[in-house]
Amino acid sequence: MDLKKITAYCEKLSSPPSDLLIQLERETHLKTLAPQMISGHIQGALLSLISEWVQPQAILEIGTFTGYGTLCLSKGLRENGTLHTIEVNPELTAISRKYFLLAGIEERVQHYIGDAQFIIPAIDELFDLVFIDAGKREYQLHYDLVFEKVKPGGIILADNVLWSGKVSDTSSDKDTEILKAFNQKIKDDSRVRNLLLPIRDGLMIAIKN
């Protein structure tokens, strides 16, 4: 099975991204060194659907990048809700904030620049939906820091958990071992129900009991 052809077929038969998301993806490829970090069409659509199902009052995103995922997550945000998003790289904010403004969500987005391990404890909020998509070596730390801030029934998502398929290899590097340990941690956590989906680079879904 050719995964690239399957992905292209899925994209063709799914509702297309908005013109604004297409514009953001194009600018991300033109102006960043690692444009593959963007959520993209299929995963972005799934983030939007999950948000629309949950109708969250408060969302936390760890790893803004250029804001594609932020725009998608905002789709289901309640009218008086807030989306908190954290990015360690200040050079990316010119793009993300531009698109928050163009999408008309700038007043509902709290954008933090800095290290998430210090920012998360300072946010006085209970979250309905969390999306972890920052440094992979910090995934377990971010999960632990945010867990008590998630409402019962709330959803925690973690991106890139298949790590280009390396998590299924018998021999692997340190980053792969860290992601394997994270996936096992979620599977063994009796406080959640989880589902690992082979979408894009792997998406872990954990629902807090």
Side-chain angles (χ1 to χ4, degrees):
M1 182 172 65
D2 188 325
L3 290 179
K4 287 186 178 180
K5 287 185 177 180
I6 292 295
T7 299
Y9 180 81
C10 291
E11 290 178 348
K12 183 179 179 180
L13 273 295
S14 298
S15 298
S18 67
D19 290 343
L20 188 62
L21 287 174
I22 293 172
Q23 180 181 331
L24 172 53
E25 185 167 11
R26 184 180 300 117
E27 186 163 345
T28 299
H29 277 81
L30 288 172
K31 295 183 178 179
T32 69
L33 296 175
Q36 71 276 9
M37 291 171 60
I38 201 167
S39 288
H41 179 192
I42 295 297
Q43 182 171 285
L46 179 60
L47 294 177
S48 294
L49 282 173
I50 291 172
S51 181
E52 288 169 339
W53 287 333
V54 174
Q55 293 286 297
Q57 177 68 34
I59 302 172
L60 174 63
E61 178 185 41
I62 307 171
T64 315
F65 192 46
T66 56
Y68 192 106
T70 321
L71 265 61
C72 294
L73 288 167
S74 73
K75 290 297 183 181
L77 190 65
R78 295 181 193 176
E79 188 173 346
N80 61 342
T82 304
L83 197 163
H84 300 260
T85 185
I86 304 170
E87 174 55 49
V88 72
N89 186 354
E91 295 180 1
L92 295 169
T93 60
I95 299 176
S96 58
R97 286 177 172 161
K98 169 185 173 181
Y99 283 88
F100 297 162
L101 183 63
L102 289 172
I105 63 171
E106 74 281 3
E107 292 185 358
R108 294 191 289 161
V109 173
Q110 292 290 324
H111 197 189
Y112 307 85
I113 306 301
D115 192 326
Q117 68 174 310
F118 302 115
I119 294 171
I120 293 169
I123 301 176
D124 184 19
E125 188 73 87
L126 286 176
F127 298 105
D128 305 283
L129 181 60
V130 174
F131 183 40
I132 302 174
D133 190 21
K136 311 314 165 193
R137 297 190 179 194
E138 286 75 48
Y139 266 29
Q140 293 198 45
L141 173 62
H142 293 160
Y143 179 82
D144 291 338
L145 285 173
V146 80
F147 193 85
E148 294 305 321
K149 292 177 176 287
V150 177
K151 297 176 184 177
I155 297 176
I156 301 173
L157 308 171
D159 195 15
N160 303 113
V161 291
L162 293 182
W163 207 231
S164 300
K166 293 180 183 178
V167 292
S168 62
D169 294 343
T170 54
S171 60
S172 55
D173 54 55
K174 184 175 181 180
D175 287 344
T176 304
E177 290 301 322
I178 287 171
L179 282 169
K180 284 182 178 181
F182 174 77
N183 292 337
Q184 191 65 49
K185 175 186 176 74
I186 305 306
K187 173 64 169 60
D188 294 340
D189 191 343
S190 62
R191 302 172 299 172
V192 301
R193 292 164 288 142
N194 79 294
L195 176 65
L196 201 168
L197 292 175
I199 291 176
R200 191 168 168 265
D201 196 23
L203 187 69
M204 176 68 79
I205 304 176
I207 303 176
K208 186 174 180 179
N209 295 330

